[in-house]
Amino acid sequence: MLLNTLLVYYSHDGVKNHIFAGNYFTILVAMSNPFEFVAPHVMARLAADAKPYTVLVFYKDINYDDPGSKKIIQGDHLSYQFKLRDEGKFLLAMPFTGATDMRAIGIFASADLAEVETLVKNDPVVIHRILRYELYPSMGLRGDKLV
């Protein structure tokens, strides 16, 4: 749900600041300021342009090396991912090419972890225990893109 909210942050000198954050930012009350050295005019831009997302990290699961897993990954999983893209729910996938247990990251358009978890749990690679996952709340700036 997109809300008109107020961003509250503390500058490096301990002064409490307020910025109306428009439609794309949830309420942030910084107990210890993660933006300690950000100038007020830059902070205003961050608040105006920030949008919440959910980051997915896929790791190998117990069935990753099974003979049928490649077919599920290349067939069912990719089809499911493109379906979510077509629906505007899934924005970016970046599979890793090196030999690591971490296999890919992805970005979902929603900041609702419960909603995203439901989508991920229905992915064939999760159902068949080929990949396990972790979800992280995140934010990005509108207009950020890969080229």
Side-chain angles (χ1 to χ4, degrees):
M1 182 162 78
L2 301 177
L3 302 171
N4 288 323
T5 61
L6 181 69
L7 173 66
V8 178
Y9 72 98
Y10 293 86
S11 62
H12 67 279
D13 57 0
V15 176
K16 188 175 183 179
N17 295 279
H18 303 273
I19 297 174
F20 181 72
N23 289 332
Y24 294 100
F25 214 79
T26 56
I27 297 172
L28 169 66
V29 179
M31 296 303 169
S32 64
N33 180 17
F35 304 107
E36 181 176 357
F37 299 104
V38 177
H41 71 283
V42 174
M43 192 67 222
R45 172 112 187 254
L46 286 172
D49 289 345
K51 182 178 183 325
Y53 298 95
T54 300
V55 173
L56 160 74
V57 181
F58 270 135
Y59 298 88
K60 290 181 182 178
D61 204 347
I62 61 171
N63 296 325
Y64 183 82
D65 292 318
D66 286 358
S69 67
K70 230 181 216 182
K71 181 179 180 185
I72 293 169
I73 292 169
Q74 294 175 3
D76 303 334
H77 164 69
L78 290 178
S79 294
Y80 184 69
Q81 246 184 13
F82 278 107
K83 174 184 167 287
L84 294 178
R85 282 181 189 219
D86 291 345
E87 295 171 357
K89 296 175 183 177
F90 188 66
L91 304 174
L92 176 71
M94 293 189 74
F96 296 116
T97 56
T100 175
D101 284 348
M102 188 183 298
R103 299 311 307 147
I105 62 169
I107 300 176
F108 283 85
S110 175
D112 183 336
L113 289 174
E115 174 190 357
V116 172
E117 185 158 39
T118 298
L119 296 172
V120 175
K121 282 182 175 180
N122 286 307
D123 190 317
V125 294
V126 173
I127 292 168
H128 293 281
R129 300 206 53 196
I130 296 166
L131 297 174
R132 62 182 176 81
Y133 65 92
E134 294 177 354
L135 298 174
Y136 299 95
S138 185
M139 73 171 198
L141 298 180
R142 287 183 287 162
D144 282 356
K145 61 185 173 183
L146 298 174
V147 291

